[in-house]
Amino acid sequence: MVSQSPENAGRVVAAIRAFGFDTPNLTEDLFLQRRRIVRMGHPPVRIEVMNEIDGVTFEECRPAAPHQHPCACDGRAALVKAIVRAQQLH
């Protein structure tokens, strides 16, 4: 999951292009719209970049430790938080 902000959208697009995935449809606007997913590749080797998931915010996923890279995000922790939040709502 990536932060949904104008500053970050440009960085995400640049990183994805540097990774080798460059298509005319890859724009900053994709990462500013809610609930968008950018998929690269085909299963079982697919990468999905999302800017929103149910039950957890980006801020809750982002590491609090100052020594970690600001782009790092523990996907397992985010998933656990999303599941717990969903159970609390029901």
Side-chain angles (χ1 to χ4, degrees):
M1 185 164 61
V2 297
S3 172
Q4 190 176 344
S5 70
E7 309 82 47
N8 197 52
R11 291 189 296 254
V12 172
V13 168
I16 291 173
R17 285 190 174 135
F19 180 69
F21 184 78
D22 192 10
T23 176
N25 296 336
L26 181 64
T27 65
E28 294 178 17
D29 190 48
L30 285 173
F31 299 98
L32 297 175
Q33 298 173 29
R34 293 189 69 213
R35 307 190 68 75
R36 299 296 283 198
I37 300 173
V38 173
R39 292 184 174 100
M40 297 169 275
H42 301 282
V45 187
R46 177 188 286 182
I47 297 172
E48 295 182 340
V49 180
M50 299 172 248
N51 63 10
E52 183 178 20
I53 60 174
D54 292 336
V56 66
T57 65
F58 176 79
E59 289 74 23
E60 291 172 309
C61 297
R62 186 168 187 223
H67 67 278
Q68 290 183 319
H69 191 278
C71 293
C73 185
D74 184 346
R76 291 184 312 169
L79 178 60
V80 170
K81 288 179 184 178
I83 292 170
V84 169
R85 177 84 38 85
Q87 290 174 344
Q88 291 171 344
L89 294 174
H90 292 292

